[in-house]
Amino acid sequence: MSSDEGSKTLTLIRTAQGIANSSGAAPVSGRDPQTLAALSALGHWSHSHNGVTVNIIDPTTQSTGGITYNQASPAAVPSTPPHGGVGGSLFKTLRGDDTNNNNSNNSNNPPSSWDTNASQKLNLYSKLTSTFSELYNSTLHSINLNNKSNSKSNIPLLLRTKPTSSLKKLPVKLKLQQQPINTPEQWHDNPYCHIYIACCENVDHYRAKVRPAVKAFVNQIEGSGIMSRDNTAESMATTVSPTSAAATAAAAAGGKEKGKKTANEKALAKLGHVASKSSEAGNFGSRYIIVFVPIGSGATSTSGANSTGAASGAGGGFGGFRAGKKGGGVIVDNKYNNNVDDNVSVATATTSSSTDGASNSNNSQQYNTAAAAYPPGPIAHSSKEVKELYHKFLKDFPNGRTVILGTLLDADVSTISPLKNQEWKAFLHNLGGAIVDGFGDRVRRYDEELRRLDSKRAAFVRKISGEHSEIVVGGGGDKKNGLVEDGSGFDLSHFFLVKESLAFTYEQMQLPGEAKLQYEELNAFLPEEAWRQLAQQQELAMGGKGENNNGVANNDTTTAMISPSDLAMAGDSERFRKLIKSSGRDLRGVSKFVPQYMYSREVRLLFQMGSPVDVLSRSKEFLVKEYRSKLLDVGADFGQRWKKEIERIGISMNSSSEKLLEAQSAMKQDRLKKEAEIEAWALSSCWDVKCAAEHYFTLSPPEVISEDGKKDEDTAISVAAPTVEGQDAARCIAELLEFAILRLIRLGDLALGEEKVNPIRRATSERPADTLKPWVPWKELRKQSRSKSPERKTSSSEAWTIHLSPHVSSWVRNAFSSSSTYEDTYLELAKAAVYINRRAGRFRFASRLEDHRAEVLISRGEYNLAADVLSNNVGACARDQWNRAHYWRIFRLACCQRVSGDVLAYLETLTQSFNPRLSSVAPKKTASLFQNDLEALITDAAVAEPRWGAFPFLETELSIESETAGKSSQPLPFLRRKLSKYLTYVGNELRFNLNINSHLPRAISVNGIRLYLVTLASYEQVYRRNGTVSEEDAFRILSIDAPITIEPGKNQFSFSWQPMSYNVYVLATVEIQWKEASFFYDSALLRKPLVGLDIQPSEPTQTIELNPLFLIPGHVQNVRLVFHSGSDIITGGAVTLICSEGLQVVPPNTDQSKLEEAWSDECVIPLGACKPGKKIVITTLVKSTSSRSGNDADDIQEMMAKVETSYRHLSYNSVMEKGEEPDSNPMTTLLEAMVTTLDRPALAVDGSEAFVFDEDRVMVNVSLQCNTPVPFYVKEWNLDLPSPLVVEEDGDLNKGMFQHAIPEGEMLLFGFKCLRADDSDEPSNERPILRVVLQDDFGKTFLQVLPLNLDDIYKQLRKEDEYAELHNATAELVCSVKEGSVGHPVPFVYNLNLQSLISPKARRSNMSVSVASEGPRPTILYTIISEGSDWIVSGKVQGLIDSKQSDIVSIPFRGIPTRSGLLRHFPEIIIEYLPITTLSGSLSQTPPITVLTKTPERFKSLAFTNSLSLAVPQDLEEF
C-alpha cells in the first residue's frame, strides 16, 4: 500500500471534529504518532462548501480580477471589460456612462452631473461587502423556507429528510461580477441570485442610462433561470432545459408572441445592440435584487428626509421595500410570465419589488393606486423625485426585488443609525428571499438534468451486471484505449458529478441531511460491489500500462504527488472530481476510490448534523465493506495471475511439476502477504476509530488503584452508559473491536502458517490443555506447590513466517515480534472490547470475551490474573440462568485458584459450585472431587479467621413451631424489607424449626449450629455499622450440641426458648460450625422472610380491692385497699391515693390528735416485695363534703387508687438458675380502682300522677328509681299534700314496702288514696313532698325528701270550683220548615233547659247572695234578638219565665227572611235573672246566665214574584 490507510480513518474523524467546532484533537492510541501527524495535513485539502454565493454587479466599481465574459453576447452579465475593443462601449452602455447615446428628446439639454461618470468612483461594492461583513458577519439569520403568502410554495417538497421550515443562519459570499458556469456538474459554483447596484440621480438619468443597462442585465439573467410555468399538475416534473434558455427568457420577459420583440430586446435595439442569449449564462439564475442608491440633489434631500423620519420615529418597520397585502413573497404577474407555474415557483418572504397594484405595468390605475400608498420606512419621507424613481423601478422590473440603500454613500461603514438599520433590515430580508427562490430554481434544474441522465441508467446497469455485454480483451467491438465503449450513451462520471453537485448545493444551504441523502442514493444506485467490478475491468483492460501506482493516469503534477486514496479519504472534492473527470465515462479509473471518497463526504456531513453515533456506524460499515472488497480483489488477482502462469508454463512442455509447485508456492506466499496486510489495515483502522471516538464518549475504563498502590485494571467493572446515545456509540465500537479481534486472530494464522497453531486458538479451544491432565487432590497439590512454585510459561521464540510491510502500523508490527507480544495485544483488545460491550449493555458478549481472556492467561501460566478475570465474570451466566456455562466457569476458576494456592478464594469457589441450580448439570465425579477438596480445605487453620457468608451448598430456613398470639409485619426502612413479627408473651415456651437443605453429594458432620437472637434496636445499629452480627451483638444465642450430621437433602433441627424479658427480637443469623470454618447465614442477606418475635409482658395476675363502693357526701368514712400478688413475683411497688375536689385522705395509722392536719388531696403508700399468693391490706380515712350545686353539680367526686408494681414471671427463678438467659429488667404493671360519691339522690322520682276515681276522691301514684350502688332498705315514708287534697286514714297502700331491700336501678311504686276536702281556706302554694327514710347494712339511715309534680290534678280541681259558680242553660232552636220565600213568615220554637239553674251543685265558696238557696226562686227574663242575622222576628220575642213550674220551657216566635239564598245565621235568645230585693230593701247582685244555643244547619230562602201581606194582632193564635 502507498500509505497507512488505517490511520486515515482517524485523520478523517479529526478533520470532521474541526467542522463540528470541537476543541482539540481526538486522543489517539499512541502507537504510531508520526504517521498520524504526517497525515493530519489531509484535513486541509478538503474544500468546504459552506455558504451560498451571490453575484454583485456594480457599475461604480472597477473590476480588478481577471474575469472575462463572452463579448460576442452584448447582453452578458455586465462586467468591467478590457480597455478598448467592442466590449468597452457595451459595458459603458450597460452602466449608463455612454454620453453619446442621450435621449433624442433631450438632446439640447445641458450635460448633467451623471455625465461626469462620478458614479464609477463610488466603489459601492466594497462598502456593501464591508458593512455586511463587519456588522452582520456575512451571515443571514432566520431564513424562512415556507412562504405564508403563497400556499403553493413547494420548498418543503424538495426536502426529503426531516422537515425544515427555516434556517437559523446562512453564510453568504458576495462576489463581484462572477463568471457564469453552464456545466451542470459545476452549477453549485454559480450564484443563487444577483444584486445590481443602480445609482440614479434623476428621472432623465434613469431613462437614458440606468433603465437600459438594468434591462440588458435583466434580459440576460431571465433567460438563464427556470421561471414558473403554467399551473399544470405536470409542472413539477417538467422544467425548462438549459437548451431552451432563450425561449424561456422570451416567455418570462413579457410573454412575447412569435415574431415580436420583448421589452428588453427593444431597449437593447434602441441602443444598437442585439439581445442574444449566450450558452455560458444559460443556468446562471434568474433571481435578482436591484439596490437603488439615490445620488445627486435627490440623494441629499432623501438622506435628510430619511434622517428626519428616522429620528422622529415615523414610519418604522422595514424601510425601503414594498409589502404585499399579506406580507407575502415575490408576486409574479402571469401577464409578463406566461410560463410561470405557481406549483413550481418558490416564493419567499416579503419583498420590496412588487405589490398587487404595481405588478402590472400596463394598468395605470393600479399603478397610481400603488404609488399613492407609500410603503412604511424611509421612502415615505423621501423626496418626490426619489419616490418617483423608486416606483419606476417597481413598474419596469416587476419580476425582481427593489430596495433602497442610500446609506451606502456614508463614509463610515461601521456606524449604525436607525435609518441604516431599517434599510439593511429590508435588504437582508429580500436577500434571504431571493436566495431561497434561487435555491428552488437550482434544485429543479438538477432534478431535470438527473431525470434526463436517469433515463439512460438501465442500459448501463445491465452492462455492469453482464446481462447484455461482456468484457472483450484483444478484439471485438469498438475500443478506445483498450476499453469497450457501450452504446447506451450513459455517462456515469457526469451523473456522479451532477449528483454530488446537488449535494454541494444542499450543503451550501446548511442542509447536511439532504446532502447526505444524495450520497446514499448514489450508494443505492451503484453499490460497492459494482465499483469493485469496474475497478477489475479497468485493471484487466489497462493491463497496468500508462498508469500510476493507483491505476489513474494523472496529468496534473500536483495531484500526481498525492495518491488518489489520500485524496478520497481526505474528502478533497476539488482534486478528486478532477480525477473523476479524467477517468472516463464509467469511472473505471477511480472506481475503487469512490467508496472511500463518499465515506469521507458522508462522515463530514454527519458531523455537521451533530450525529457522532452515525459517524461511528458509517465508519464501521465502511471498514467492513472495504475489508471484504480488498480480500476479493486479492483473490481475483491471484486467480488471474495463476491462470496466466498456467498458460505460460503450459506453452513450455518441458517444464516439470516441481517448477509448477514452486511457482504456485511463490504466488501463494505473495497472496498471503497481501491478505496479511489487509488484515493489518483492518485491525489498525478499527483501533484508530475507537481511539478517535474517545473524544466524544467514555470508552476506556477508569483507573482503579489496589491496596498495594498498583493499578488494577481488571476490577474496573462498568455498567451500561446512562444515555441512549452513549449506548449506541458503545455498541458500534464494540462491534468494531470484535471485528478487530477476528482480524488479529486471522493475522496470527497467516503469520504462523498452516503447520503452526495460533496460541489464541489453542487457548480458546474446546478442551484446554490443563484439563487433560489428571486431577491432583488438594493436600498433595499443596505439597507440590511448597516444593515448586508455579512460573509463567516462557514465550516461544519462533520467528513468524510473514513480515509485515513498513506501511502497516507500528503497533501491529510489534504485536508479531513474538508469541508473548501477540498474546498481549489480544488481551488488550479483548479487555477494551469487554469494557465497551458492558457500556453498550451487551453483557453476554462481554462475558464471552472475558472467558477467552481467562483461557489465554491460563495458557500463559498467569493463574492469578486469570482467576481475577473469571471471578468478575462468573456471575454473568448465573444471571442468565445458563447453568452449564456457569458451572464450566466455576470449574475453570477453581482450576486457577487451586494451582495458585489461594485457600480462601478456592474455598468460596467450591461452596459456590454446589449451587442448587447447578446440581442437575454438575458431573458426579467432579462434584465428588470438589467435596474432597472442600473437606480438606476446612481443616486448614487459614479458613478459621474469615467470617464466611451464606454459601449455597447449604440452604437454611427458619420457622416457629409454637402457637403464638398473632402475627404482624413491620417495615424496616434501613433494610427495605418487612419483618414478620410473631406475638407472644414472657414465660411462654417457644420452639423454632431450622430446615437445612444440603446440596453436597455426601453427608457431613458439623461441630454445632447456633441461632443468634438480636433486639431490633441493636440489629439496626449493627446493619448501619457493617451489617455483620457477632456474638457481642446477640441478646441470646440458642445452640444445638454436637455431634450433628447433615445428610444430603433436607434436614430439620429444633431450638427451644422461654423468654424472661419483653422486647422485639430478630432471628438474625444461623451459624454452622464445620471444622475450622464457620458459615453465617444472615437473614438480611437471604431472599427469605425476615422472622422476628414480639415478646410482650406476661399478663399480670395481681388484683386490688377498694371498699366501700361509694362515699356518702358530708361524712368521714373508712376506706380499705386489699392487694393480691397472684402468681407473680413482686419486687416492689407503690400505692397512690388521689382525691378530687371535695375529698381528702390521710395516710394510714395517722394519730387522731393530728388528724385535722393530716388531711390532703394525695397520699403515697410504699408497697414492699411480695411472693406469689400473698395479700396486703391498707386502711385509711376519707372525708367528703356535702354535695355541690351550681355549675359544679355535674362534676363527680372520686378517689383514685393506683397501684404500680414491678414483677417477674413465676418461672423466672428456675430459668435463671440454668445461667443461659441474660438478666433483664422486671416487668411493670399499673392497677387502678376508684370510689365515688353519689352524684344523684339515692332515690329519684321517675314519675308522679293523680286521677279522680269518685266524685270527691283522688288516687296518687309515685314511681321512684334507686341509684345506690349497694342495696338499701326502706325504713319509713310519708306523703304531704297541700289543700284541697288529704290522704285518707286508710289511704296508704304501701304496707309491704317496709324493710324491703332495694338494689341499684330498681323501681319503687307508691300508691295513696286521697280525699277532696271542703276547706274554706285559700289554696296553698306548697308542693307535694314524699319523704322516704333508707337504712344500709350498718344501720345508718338516710332521709330522702322527694318533691312531686301533681300540678295537673290541682289545676283540674281548681277549674271545677270555678265552673261550679257559673249558671248555665241550654237552648235549641227548632224551625218547622227547611225553605221558604223572602218576606214569608216562618214559625220558630226555642226549647230551654233550666235544670242547671233550678238544681245547682253545692257551693264550696261563699257568695254574697245565693240564688240556689232554699228561699224563693228568682224569675228569669228572656229576649229574642235578630241583630246580625238575615231575619226579622215577630211574635212574643220578650217575656218572663216562671222556673218553678218546669225545667223545660218552649218559646214560639216567627221570623221573616230578608234575602234569598242559604241562610246560616238565625235569631238568638238571651236569658237573665231579675234583681231580688233584700230585706233591707236594696237590690242584690245576680250571677249571669250563659246560654248554650243549638241552631239548624241552614235555611233555604227563595226569591218571590208577588207578595200579599196582612197585618193581624199578636193575640191571634190561629195565624
Side-chain angles (χ1 to χ4, degrees), residues 106 255 490 507 681 694 738 798 1145 1162 1197 1257 1316:
N106 299 325
F490 179 71
E507 187 178 359
W681 167 83
E694 288 181 350
E738 291 177 8
E798 298 176 342
V1145 66
E1162 183 175 347
Q1197 294 179 351
R1257 303 179 71 181
R1316 184 175 181 182

Side-chain angles (χ1 to χ4, degrees), residues 688-753:
D688 288 337
V689 171
K690 179 260 180 187
C691 295
E694 288 181 350
H695 182 77
Y696 294 94
F697 307 100
T698 302
L699 301 177
S700 297
E703 295 185 359
V704 179
I705 306 302
S706 60
E707 297 180 356
D708 55 357
K710 297 181 179 180
K711 183 177 179 181
D712 190 1
E713 298 180 350
D714 291 324
T715 59
I717 305 300
S718 66
V719 296
T723 61
V724 177
E725 184 183 24
Q727 293 182 11
D728 294 341
R731 184 178 295 108
C732 293
I733 298 300
E735 294 174 356
L736 268 179
L737 290 184
E738 291 177 8
F739 181 74
I741 291 174
L742 296 178
R743 305 283 65 77
L744 179 65
I745 296 176
R746 174 58 180 165
L747 193 57
D749 295 339
L750 295 175
L752 291 173

